[in-house]
Amino acid sequence: MYPEHPLSKPPSSHRPLMIALIAVSVLGLVAILVVAALTPAHTVTGTALPADQYGPQDTATRAKPLPTTTASAPRSTIAPLTPGWQTSYSISRNAVYDVPQDWTVPTPTTIVGFEGGGRVVMSGAAELSPKACDGHHSKAIAGVTGSKLGDVSAAAKDVACSWATVAGANDDRPNSTYTLSNVETLTVQGKPAAHVTATLANPGPNDCSHPATSIVHAVAVPGNNGQSVVMVLYADQGTDGTATDDTIRTMFTSLRPAGLDAAACKQDNDIVGTWCG
């Protein structure tokens, strides 16, 4: 845990937040938010679900994080499609994807994302070098979120824009600008999909935790009820130890249903974009 900070925002951004959602069964599931690996002033508390829906959310009201707990949710035992890799899965979306062995995979209830002028978060998380830059930065984060849009091209564009906007919000310098790619249509594990990138130009001064360039990948696949399941990868560019394009593509092209039964799917609230049910 990093120390608490005052409600006024000190200079920062481009550092992901992580929230571990621990489910405790006492006549039902009670979600407890545990905040870890946070950027100063990026503390978020509140209702656990549907916090991992995509899109900017109001974060004007702030509260102290709840105490850390040592309880844990089960880690993935789902076999990877990629030899030698591991898997990460989202219990709220019944989705799984392959992750390289040098990435860190927390529990399935862990949420990662960004806060600043809005909030974007995702579950089924994975991180590359989560304690880089003196312990305050991840070289890349990945996870699964969703969109109400059933058109996968529109969903991928919408999610990419939302993530680029929130991730690019800065307190101590101008906001980052981003360039949206054309839509790439592809097939992901037998399902039609759309891939869009948003490349961010981050104003200086640049350093380990604030690289000059970063990128958002959004890959949308049809979900239930006319919505889309969307995988997001946010990664540094042009610095040592970053994720390669081949690695990122192997990760998002492995996105697939996790095969969870109804009891294992966490559906406490209406989840946008899911393969549960």
Side-chain angles (χ1 to χ4, degrees):
M1 289 291 294
Y2 294 110
E4 295 174 8
H5 292 271
L7 300 187
S8 59
K9 289 187 177 181
S12 67
S13 193
H14 288 286
R15 296 176 182 174
L17 60 87
M18 178 182 290
I19 305 171
L21 306 183
I22 310 300
V24 181
S25 177
V26 183
L27 298 177
L29 292 175
V30 180
I32 301 174
L33 295 183
V34 181
V35 180
L38 295 177
T39 301
H42 279 198
T43 299
V44 177
T45 61
T47 304
L49 291 173
D52 63 340
Q53 295 182 13
Y54 86 99
Q57 302 173 32
D58 179 18
T59 55
T61 302
R62 295 170 182 264
K64 294 181 180 180
L66 297 176
T68 302
T69 176
T70 57
S72 62
R75 296 183 184 275
S76 177
T77 57
I78 301 170
L81 302 178
T82 310
W85 284 27
Q86 57 186 324
T87 57
S88 180
Y89 73 100
S90 166
I91 61 174
S92 60
R93 292 193 162 82
N94 192 15
V96 64
Y97 61 94
D98 290 1
V99 181
Q101 284 292 348
D102 60 346
W103 286 52
T104 298
V105 177
T107 61
T109 47
T110 299
I111 283 177
V112 296
F114 292 93
E115 180 194 33
R119 181 172 60 181
V120 286
V121 288
M122 55 192 172
S123 59
E127 293 185 285
L128 175 62
S129 303
K131 294 186 178 181
C133 310
D134 297 323
H136 299 286
H137 183 73
S138 295
K139 291 288 186 179
I141 58 174
V144 187
T145 181
S147 172
K148 294 179 180 179
L149 301 175
D151 181 324
V152 291
S153 295
K157 289 173 65 175
D158 190 44
V159 171
C161 288
S162 292
W163 276 75
T165 299
V166 178
N170 295 303
D171 296 324
D172 59 337
R173 67 198 83 193
N175 289 344
S176 303
T177 59
Y178 67 87
T179 303
L180 205 64
S181 73
N182 293 327
V183 176
E184 175 194 5
T185 57
L186 67 163
T187 300
V188 171
Q189 300 303 313
K191 298 179 182 292
H195 172 223
V196 173
T197 63
T199 302
L200 288 85
N202 304 318
N206 301 118
D207 54 28
C208 178
S209 62
H210 193 89
T213 308
S214 51
I215 190 167
V216 176
H217 292 262
V219 179
V221 183
N224 296 345
N225 304 317
Q227 299 178 348
S228 295
V229 175
V230 186
M231 182 172 176
V232 174
L233 295 101
Y234 178 91
D236 292 351
Q237 298 279 280
T239 61
D240 293 338
T242 57
T244 67
D245 291 343
D246 286 346
T247 293
I248 290 173
R249 180 165 288 271
T250 301
M251 291 175 70
F252 72 64
T253 56
S254 69
L255 179 65
R256 59 201 183 273
L260 304 178
D261 59 25
C265 266
K266 185 179 177 65
Q267 295 289 280
D268 291 20
N269 293 281
D270 293 333
I271 301 298
V272 171
T274 181
W275 286 320
C276 285

